Amino acid sequence: MRVAVTGGGGFLGSHLCEALLRRGDSVVCLDDFSTGDPENIAPLLSHPGFAFQHADVSVSAEVAGRVDAVAHLASPASPPDYLRRPLETLRVGSRGTENALRLALHHDARFILASTSEIYGDPLVHPQEEAYWGNVNSIGPRSVYDEAKRYAEAVSAAYRRTHGLNVGIARIFNTYGPRMRPHDGRVVSSFITQALTGEPLTIYGDGKQTRSFCYVDDLVRGLLALLDSSEMGPFNLGNPVERTVTELAEAVLAMTGSPSEVKHHPLPVDDPVRRRPVITRAREVLGWEPEIDITEGLRRTVAYFAARPDRLGASAAAIRGGQDETVPLTAVTGAATATQTIPGPAAETTGATPATAGPSGSGG
């Protein structure tokens, strides 16, 4: 099978590309590295089944040759990224999704959408099952991501109803693991970065808010199961074990042996208080459930971060004292920008030039 992966240079997208290649599929990765990282796919460039196209899918998503499936993961996915790039986030969720859908329709290919648990907003129903419609502030600061993904689901469902496109929707809950950027502002990466650099761990609010953390390998297995099916869903993909943010901080401190203290900061606007997926549908229909517990997942993730001390040191300033919007992303060592180039063989470019490409490369 030949699979086009938008946002394939991001945290989640690169793991999906790798898993597809490992099982014998070929991959066309589309990304502009506005939030992804060339390092994520550097080991794949020599693989005969892997091809890279520099592309802003908000402008164009075209792939030459046969395409059997399209996995649409392109989008900023961490709050600092989508709050910093609000219009770009809305564009990739709307125009980018439509371009990816047209690519799948042109090739009569299976299409899967990487949606998000954020479509539930700050939920009034707990835990969250797919039948819940959510509690979203459509004009709040987080709405640029929430509503972009809600629109992406709506247009994907419309393509299925109108054109008979083989669509599948995954609602992804908090996912962590190697290749997360240390400065991306997500709670796992922030805690590990702060613990390893001796900085205070930043907790927003009282720390009693809950999340459910799924290790990236488990999440990718879920995406593959959805890709291989003809089911639409939507399917919640996440770990149903709920824990507080304070419990996560304590686990990271114990894992790293860090002397870092914990400091509290105001809770961001519309930040969900509780988050836990019901995964009954994924278990029964896709035969999927997570297998890697938080202790093992954190061990692997801490090891990945600890092996990159140069990035940790530079990233610590960007997340010190909460998410400081005054620290420019380009000041962080290793932070990907749209002007970075892929190491290795020359890559094709589609859509927009590297100097103007928008955020189509986070994925998950």
Side-chain angles (χ1 to χ4, degrees):
M1 183 162 62
R2 188 167 186 249
V3 185
V5 181
T6 74
F11 157 55
L12 184 55
S14 63
H15 281 281
L16 178 61
C17 289
E18 188 175 29
L20 288 165
L21 293 172
R22 192 182 304 121
R23 73 177 196 173
D25 294 326
S26 59
V27 173
V28 181
C29 167
L30 295 87
D31 210 313
D32 68 354
F33 298 117
S34 52
T35 58
D37 192 333
E39 180 184 294
N40 291 340
I41 61 169
L44 307 181
L45 293 172
S46 61
H47 193 291
F50 183 80
F52 172 75
Q53 291 182 192
H54 191 285
D56 176 355
V57 298
S58 299
V59 177
S60 176
E62 298 179 2
V63 174
R66 188 185 85 255
V67 175
D68 301 302
V70 176
H72 181 44
L73 280 69
S75 175
S78 70
D81 281 335
Y82 59 71
L83 294 175
R84 189 181 293 113
R85 298 169 175 267
L87 298 179
E88 294 89 342
T89 301
L90 288 164
R91 274 197 293 271
V92 75
S94 55
R95 298 173 195 165
T97 301
E98 292 183 44
N99 286 336
L101 284 162
R102 281 192 284 267
L103 173 65
L105 186 63
H106 177 73
H107 292 276
D108 193 24
R110 169 71 164 162
F111 176 89
I112 64 168
L113 171 69
S115 186
T116 173
S117 61
E118 294 292 336
I119 67 102
Y120 298 123
D122 187 5
L124 303 178
V125 172
H126 189 80
Q128 294 79 55
E129 59 182 5
E130 293 91 347
Y132 178 49
W133 291 354
N135 176 44
V136 176
N137 177 1
S138 63
I139 60 171
R142 298 172 70 100
S143 67
V144 297
Y145 184 64
D146 302 353
E147 298 293 4
K149 289 297 188 179
R150 288 165 71 92
Y151 176 80
E153 287 196 12
V155 72
S156 297
Y159 263 72
R160 184 178 178 105
R161 288 191 296 267
T162 304
H163 299 296
L165 186 64
N166 186 4
V167 165
I169 298 171
R171 291 178 178 165
I172 299 172
F173 283 67
N174 293 66
T175 303
Y176 71 99
R179 299 182 198 156
M180 297 182 81
R181 296 170 299 154
H183 59 278
D184 70 6
R186 300 186 223 200
V187 65
V188 173
S189 53
S190 291
F191 281 177
I192 293 175
T193 298
Q194 289 166 333
L196 291 176
T197 57
E199 294 279 343
L201 271 62
T202 299
I203 290 184
Y204 297 104
D206 60 11
K208 294 180 182 178
Q209 66 269 38
T210 66
R211 296 293 184 268
S212 302
F213 300 101
C214 186
Y215 188 68
V216 64
D217 289 0
D218 282 335
L219 195 285
V220 167
R221 285 193 302 102
L223 290 178
L224 291 176
L226 179 60
L227 186 73
D228 292 341
S229 77
S230 59
E231 299 288 339
M232 176 177 172
F235 292 93
N236 285 339
L237 297 183
N239 194 318
V241 178
E242 184 180 7
R243 66 190 67 243
T244 68
V245 172
T246 294
E247 288 171 341
L248 176 67
E250 292 168 348
V252 169
L253 290 173
M255 180 77 61
T256 59
S258 172
S260 295
E261 60 180 339
V262 171
K263 287 191 174 181
H264 291 262
H265 294 266
L267 195 67
V269 176
D270 298 329
D271 193 55
V273 175
R274 301 191 72 186
R275 186 65 63 74
R276 177 162 69 92
V278 175
I279 62 168
T280 303
R281 182 180 290 180
R283 281 194 180 111
E284 294 179 350
V285 178
L286 301 179
W288 174 87
E289 63 181 335
E291 299 173 351
I292 298 172
D293 65 24
I294 191 72
T295 301
E296 175 59 20
L298 282 179
R299 185 192 66 78
R300 298 181 191 181
T301 309
V302 167
Y304 174 85
F305 276 55
R308 290 158 176 79
D310 55 332
R311 290 195 170 196
L312 289 179
S315 297
I319 57 176
R320 182 178 297 131
Q323 196 57 236
D324 187 352
E325 294 286 339
T326 66
V327 178
L329 190 62
T330 53
V332 181
T333 301
T337 68
T339 57
Q340 282 184 294
T341 57
I342 281 284
E348 297 179 29
T349 300
T350 64
T353 63
T356 59
S360 59
S362 179

